[in-house]
Amino acid sequence: MDQLFPYVNSLHTLAAVIWVGGMVFAWGFLRPSLGFLEPPQRLGVWSRVFPKFFMWVWIAVLVIPATGYFMVFYDFGSFEAAGHHVELMHIIGWIMIVLFVYLYVAPYKKFKAAIHDEAWPVAAGHLNTIRRIVATNMVLGLINVITGVSGRFWG
Ligand code: HEM
């Protein structure tokens, strides 16, 4: 362990907290609270929330692997030395990143175009795809947080 480990690990965990916490808030609290709005208003709220949230997810998507690989190769030396929990976190982390990038370039891009055209049912369909991907990533993210925090005791 070198002296940088606590800082790099804190940065890694902060990025995870912002990404996973944002998904929990969006999926678990905001989504069920917007049901009383008409589709144009409801979709309008999401079209304003997503750019702000996704900008932070992009930061997390860069910070998490950078800090993760730093800890693996600089502090532990290799994946073997880091433990099975880090290998698991690595695989789950990349699945999450690929899902997010897909979400951004496919359904989210189409969602924005549909909002621009005021094609509300089309936008609602893409929002549904985004919701399912976010729900999947939220579960994977929660598993990864448990893995990261508890893994040193079993990995
Ligand atoms: C490229 C993918 C990733 C790599 C290489 C990686 C690597 C690491 C390493 C080496 C540690 C320190 C483990 C230890 O001290 O035993 C760690 C901790 C942690 N990671 Fe990851 N990680 C990755 C992705 C993620 C993702 C996607 C999340 C959550 C969304 C996450 C959440 C955490 C958490 C919460 C900790 C625990 C910090 C602590 O309690 O010390 N990691 N990660």
Side-chain angles (χ1 to χ4, degrees):
M1 289 300 136
D2 80 306
Q3 289 170 340
L4 285 178
F5 187 86
Y7 302 105
V8 176
N9 199 13
S10 300
L11 202 57
H12 186 79
T13 308
L14 277 178
V17 165
I18 291 169
W19 187 6
V20 180
M23 292 192 288
V24 170
F25 177 76
W27 189 86
F29 304 114
L30 188 55
R31 183 187 58 92
S33 309
L34 297 180
F36 72 100
L37 291 174
E38 293 299 322
Q41 279 76 43
R42 190 168 51 84
L43 292 158
V45 171
W46 286 114
S47 74
R48 286 167 179 79
V49 168
F50 285 148
K52 296 182 180 70
F53 179 48
F54 289 165
M55 190 194 75
W56 282 94
V57 178
W58 277 115
I59 295 172
V61 157
L62 295 174
V63 167
I64 287 174
T67 50
Y69 289 128
F70 183 91
M71 289 188 280
V72 169
F73 295 113
Y74 196 70
D75 291 300
F76 292 101
S78 67
F79 271 102
E80 212 168 42
H84 293 306
H85 65 297
V86 175
E87 285 168 350
L88 179 66
M89 184 165 31
H90 184 222
I91 293 165
I92 295 177
W94 274 108
I95 296 171
M96 291 175 66
I97 292 168
V98 168
L99 281 175
F100 171 70
V101 173
Y102 168 75
L103 175 159
Y104 197 88
V105 299
Y108 177 54
K109 198 175 169 205
K110 293 178 192 158
F111 171 80
K112 279 195 294 188
I115 292 284
H116 181 261
D117 297 343
E118 300 190 359
W120 308 120
V122 180
H126 296 308
L127 182 63
N128 206 32
T129 309
I130 294 170
R131 178 183 61 78
R132 280 196 305 232
I133 296 173
V134 168
T136 307
N137 255 357
M138 181 183 71
V139 172
L140 291 175
L142 290 171
I143 293 170
N144 242 8
V145 169
I146 294 168
T147 305
V149 172
S150 69
R152 71 189 65 174
F153 302 105
W154 52 262

